[in-house]
Each structure stands twice: as C-alpha cells, then as structure tokens.
Amino acid sequence: MFSKDIYSKRRTELIRKVGNGVILLLGNSEAPCNYPSNTYKFRQDSSFLYYTGLNSPDLALIMDAESGKQILFGNDVDIDDIIWMGPQPSIGDFAESCGIEKSEPLSDLEIYVKTVMAQGRRIHFLPPYRNYNKILLNELTSIPVRELNAKASVELIKAVVEMRLVKEECEIAEIEKACEIGYAMHYTIMKMAKVGVKEQTLYGIMEGIAHSQGAMTSFATILSQNGETLHNLSHNQVLTEGRMLVIDAGAENEMNYCSDFTRTLPSSGKFTEQQKDIYRIVSTANNMGQSLSRPGVAYRDVHLNVCRLITQGLINLGIMKGNPDEAVAAGAHALFMPHGLGHNMGLDVHDMENLGEDYVGYDDSYKRSSQFGLSSLRMGKVLSAGNVVTVEPGIYFIPALIDKWRAENINTRFINFEELEKFRGFGGIRLEDDILITHNGCRRLGSKRLPITPEDVEEAMREN
Ligand code: GLY
Ligand code: MN
C-alpha cells in the first residue's frame, strides 16, 4: 500500500467534499465459487482500496463528514481462524496502517448506522454491486434491496469520481507497472501465435503471466479469431491460415491498478492485403486518437474525429460512400465500429463503472448520446491532466448486423452493401493503447509500445 498519509489526505478531502451526514464505505467479502469455503480470488472494492489501501475482506469504514471522526469496522481473528489462515493483523493494526485512529468490531456497525439514522442524519453510501453487500446494506439501513441503487448518495458518487479520475503520481507509477505486465502478456503471445496453436493455450499463458507478475488480469481476457464479436469470451478454436486473432487483455499489478491493451495478429504471421487495408485504417485511427487527446478537449470530439477518419478510410475502399461528416452524423460508421473510442482506467479497468458510467464519463455539459454506437462511448466529457484513458478504435464486420441494416435499409446512403459482401467472414480488428493526459497533451503508458504497424507485428511474429 501507499504511505498512510496518502490515505488520510484522501479521506480528509472526501469528507470536505461531502460536507454533511455520515459516509459509509463497504469493503468486499469473499465470494463463494461452488461451495462457501471455495472462493473466487478475493478482489477488494476499488473505492475502499482508494481510501484505505486495505486489501482484506469484511471491513467497513465510517467517516462522519461533520465531526471528521473515522472508524474502521472489522473483526479480529480467533484461534480457529489462526489454525486455518495463520496469524492475521488485528483490526487495530489495519486501522493504524492507513491512519485511522479508531476501530470497532463489525457487529457494532449496525448499531452505529441505526443510531445515526435515528438522529435524522444522512448515511451516504455508494451503489452496491455485490449481493452480499446489498444484503448487508439492507440490514444496516432497512432500505429494500431493489431501492438501494436509487438511494445511493449522488454527492458521494460525484466526490469519489472527481478524486479518482485525476491520478496522483504514485498511482501513475502503479499503472505503469500494470502496463509492463500487459506488455509481457501480449508480446509473449505475439511470439507464440502460429497456425495450429490453440486459442486456449495462448489464453492460459496470458493468465499465467498476469498471475505470476501481478494480482490477476484486469478483466476476462478476450482472445479469439472471431474478433467481430466485441467481447468474445470463448477460446475454443485453433489458429488457422488466413484468419486474425483479436487479443484484448490487461493486468492488475499488486496494488490492483490496471492496464488494457488490444492487438490484432494474423494467425499465420502474415497479413493478407485485404487485412492490411483495414488494419492500416485502424492503426491510423489509434494514432490520431492519441494525437488529439489533451486537456480541454472533449473525448467525444476525439471519438468523432476518429470515426470520420475510419469512415474516410472505408469510403476509399468502396465499402462506404458519401460525405464522411454526414455519414458520422447519421451514425453510419457504427456498422463497423459500434463501440466507443475508450474509457477511463485506474483501479478498475473501466474505472468506477460500478458508480454509474454517466457520472464518470459525462457531466452537465456532455450528456450521453442515444444514437447507436455513440451511446456506447463510456467517456465523452472534457479531458483533464491526470486522466488515464484507453484509445481503442476498431473495425468489425458483424454478419448479423450487416444483414439487419441491409434488410431494414438503414443508412443505405452511406453503405455500399454489394462491396461489403467481400468482407463477410473478415472478422474484426481492434488496436488499443493506454494514455495519460498531461498538461499539454498526452503520453502513452508503459515503457515500450507493443508492435502496432503491420510490418512490426509481422516482424515480432517472424521467429515463431
Ligand atoms: N478492453 C475491454 C474493454 O474495454 O471493454
Ligand atoms: Mn478497453
């Protein structure tokens, strides 16, 4: 964890921002997999980590936003626990390690919360996303489970988002470490991928690198020759001549900071000319996204500029037609790129998605669009120095979507459906890097950029 001063300062700032009532932050508990004592790998709640650094289950933090009083709730282990788990820090040790003076047993939390509520004071809590914490919050507050999200504190959400969106130097250093692990995961696969290798083998090797160098992967690894399915979680094919492999994967380092990279490889080690044509549009789009990202610029505008470039590229190939500005305004490019250019990243790969994406990526000036494609943009608002975002343009040929648009005459002014038939079965291409917004532009995170030009990718794969 970072030094205790960092967590103390963050909590003081959060208390100042919220300014009234009592803030309740719940840590996560162990989650059973197939029976209660066989649990998934423990993952602490990211906001709890941000304000305490404590990476153990069954902890809760109370911060009185008026008196400033802070209490860490949790249980000391008993001799039975020690026999099975070994000696553990006491709850007092945990509190001391992050600069909290007072600690109490978890069983006292209910009395504390009920007393505060009986006094007519507000309890601020974040929207719960784990069922265990939904039940706990229901028991503590008597708010029905189905109403908990609506009754979560918007003031607290906004305060947490404002703080976590601007990364401190110490956080950037951790994200850089996660990027080094992500680089090793991807580069190793570039060296191993070749016709005849199973996707599952490559997937397992990536998981192994993530676990051996950090905490785990930052999300379920996407590794598939069916790259046109945006979040394809099956890895059951064998690498085949003429196809491409989309690999979208990242790591969490030991402090649970994330990386998220995507590369698209030719399964055989050599792109076809048709693949290169589309690939170059996507790599140019990735570079453009990075060159336009700077403080004061709305990420929605970066996204739209990238979409216009992709549209022009597809017009040049005869797949689209008409005026690129008009095509993008109509959302016609979304047939090929139905997702957004990127998202914030930090302690979560989609940073703070659990707090509500619209609080993270949008504000009063930038509201989420309802147009197909643009509605999937997770980050639309103005960039600020200290933001960490992904840049991940893609072009996909999704047969079911092409057929639907053709049958329903959607955007026929801008799509050349005849030419498009030549790309049925093409798959998809996505290329993703992670950037930090600096005071005068941005910089890529990680000490080395994964090979991205078709030549460099083929070169990296040549010795396979
Ligand atoms: N890289 C996976 C995602 O952004 O959803
Ligand atoms: Mn991503």
Side-chain angles (χ1 to χ4, degrees):
M1 61 195 276
F2 299 126
S3 76
K4 65 169 91 166
D5 292 353
I6 288 185
Y7 301 106
S8 295
K9 247 170 81 186
R10 289 175 181 172
R11 291 192 302 271
T12 304
E13 178 61 8
L14 183 67
I15 285 169
R16 191 193 65 73
K17 279 182 186 298
V18 174
N20 67 77
V22 170
I23 301 165
L24 168 63
L25 286 186
L26 294 179
N28 278 338
S29 299
E30 297 280 13
C33 175
N34 53 338
Y35 51 90
S37 65
N38 195 27
T39 56
Y40 293 104
K41 182 174 164 54
F42 176 70
R43 177 56 158 85
Q44 183 59 287
D45 174 75
S46 296
S47 292
F48 197 83
L49 268 181
Y50 182 82
Y51 289 104
T52 68
L54 298 175
N55 199 1
S56 292
D58 302 322
L59 299 171
L61 173 62
I62 282 284
M63 291 172 273
D64 189 316
E66 288 156 38
S67 71
K69 186 169 158 188
Q70 303 172 19
I71 309 171
L72 183 71
F73 287 86
N75 293 331
D76 287 331
V77 293
D78 60 21
I79 185 65
D80 285 338
D81 297 318
I82 292 171
I83 291 167
W84 291 94
M85 299 156 54
Q88 305 292 318
S90 70
I91 184 66
D93 295 337
F94 277 132
E96 206 280 322
S97 71
C98 64
I100 298 172
E101 282 173 13
K102 196 165 165 42
S103 60
E104 289 185 12
L106 198 54
S107 54
D108 289 358
L109 180 61
E110 187 169 342
I111 311 262
Y112 189 96
V113 170
K114 287 198 158 54
T115 306
V116 166
M117 291 179 81
Q119 291 164 350
R121 299 183 67 207
R122 173 100 186 269
I123 294 279
H124 298 272
F125 59 86
L126 297 172
Y129 54 93
R130 288 210 182 177
N131 288 342
Y132 185 92
N133 276 348
K134 289 183 188 179
I135 294 166
L136 177 59
L137 264 179
N138 162 257
E139 286 171 357
L140 296 174
T141 63
S142 303
I143 299 171
V145 167
R146 66 180 173 283
E147 290 175 23
L148 283 167
N149 276 359
K151 299 231 162 108
S153 165
V154 173
E155 295 101 298
L156 179 60
I157 292 170
K158 287 186 170 172
V160 170
V161 166
E162 205 178 308
M163 291 181 69
R164 285 182 53 192
L165 266 188
V166 177
K167 271 63 184 178
E168 299 160 31
E169 285 300 326
C170 60
E171 296 187 280
I172 293 161
E174 297 303 319
I175 297 173
E176 296 268 19
K177 289 181 200 165
C179 288
E180 298 305 321
I181 307 171
Y183 181 95
M185 290 161 68
H186 279 266
Y187 197 71
T188 304
I189 295 316
M190 279 192 188
K191 290 282 169 204
M192 292 190 63
K194 60 179 171 199
V195 166
V197 172
K198 289 180 180 160
E199 292 173 350
Q200 182 70 23
T201 305
L202 301 176
Y203 165 81
I205 286 165
M206 291 192 105
E207 295 288 306
I209 296 171
H211 283 268
S212 60
Q213 297 188 25
M216 55 186 194
T217 53
S218 51
F219 58 101
T221 293
I222 297 160
L223 186 152
S224 172
Q225 289 176 113
N226 285 110
E228 75 280 7
T229 303
L230 303 182
H231 278 182
N232 196 333
L233 296 184
S234 54
H235 327 102
N236 52 9
Q237 302 186 78
V238 175
L239 266 56
T240 310
E241 184 76 39
R243 301 191 71 189
M244 287 179 298
L245 182 64
V246 170
I247 307 169
D248 183 347
E252 283 192 9
N253 80 327
E254 284 169 356
M255 297 265 298
N256 297 104
Y257 283 90
C258 299
S259 62
D260 183 7
F261 297 116
T262 309
R263 286 296 183 267
T264 303
L265 312 180
S267 299
S268 67
K270 283 233 52 84
F271 288 105
T272 65
E273 287 309 310
Q274 189 192 48
Q275 288 168 349
K276 270 193 221 168
D277 285 343
I278 301 295
Y279 188 101
R280 287 210 175 94
I281 302 173
V282 183
S283 61
T284 310
N286 174 304
N287 289 335
M288 184 198 220
Q290 297 189 37
S291 68
L292 294 178
S293 295
R294 57 185 59 247
V297 170
Y299 208 51
R300 185 172 71 193
D301 293 334
V302 181
H303 168 93
L304 289 171
N305 276 308
V306 164
C307 292
R308 283 188 275 271
L309 179 137
I310 287 175
T311 301
Q312 184 61 62
L314 294 173
I315 290 172
N316 296 346
L317 293 177
I319 299 169
M320 291 186 75
K321 57 189 178 179
N323 176 301
D325 294 351
E326 288 173 19
V328 169
H333 64 286
L335 177 58
F336 307 101
M337 181 171 146
H339 62 72
L341 183 62
H343 49 85
N344 287 280
M345 190 182 78
L347 278 166
D348 308 298
V349 72
H350 292 173
D351 216 14
M352 296 172 273
E353 191 173 291
N354 59 309
L355 304 186
E357 252 183 13
D358 286 356
Y359 290 118
V360 180
Y362 293 90
D363 56 19
D364 290 341
S365 309
Y366 286 85
K367 298 278 176 213
R368 186 187 287 265
S369 164
S370 58
Q371 186 187 59
F372 175 71
L374 194 50
S375 62
S376 295
L377 177 63
R378 301 179 195 279
M379 169 63 175
K381 68 189 182 189
V382 169
L383 295 164
S384 303
N387 292 162
V388 169
V389 292
T390 65
V391 182
E392 48 180 310
I395 296 181
Y396 313 87
F397 296 86
I398 306 169
L401 189 60
I402 294 169
D403 292 343
K404 176 179 160 63
W405 279 36
R406 190 168 195 174
E408 296 175 15
N409 290 322
I410 297 173
N411 281 315
T412 47
R413 255 176 80 203
F414 303 110
I415 314 283
N416 187 346
F417 284 101
E418 290 304 318
E419 193 61 24
L420 191 45
E421 280 309 308
K422 294 184 191 154
F423 289 82
R424 193 174 279 275
F426 180 95
I429 295 177
R430 176 163 65 255
L431 298 171
E432 177 177 25
D433 289 316
D434 304 332
I435 59 170
L436 167 70
I437 306 302
T438 59
H439 286 288
N440 54 4
C442 73
R443 75 172 172 83
R444 243 186 330 273
L445 292 164
S447 63
K448 297 182 288 290
R449 189 182 195 186
L450 282 161
I452 191 157
T453 65
E455 295 74 24
D456 287 350
V457 170
E458 289 180 356
E459 174 66 29
M461 295 180 74
R462 188 153 297 145
E463 297 136 39
N464 301 1

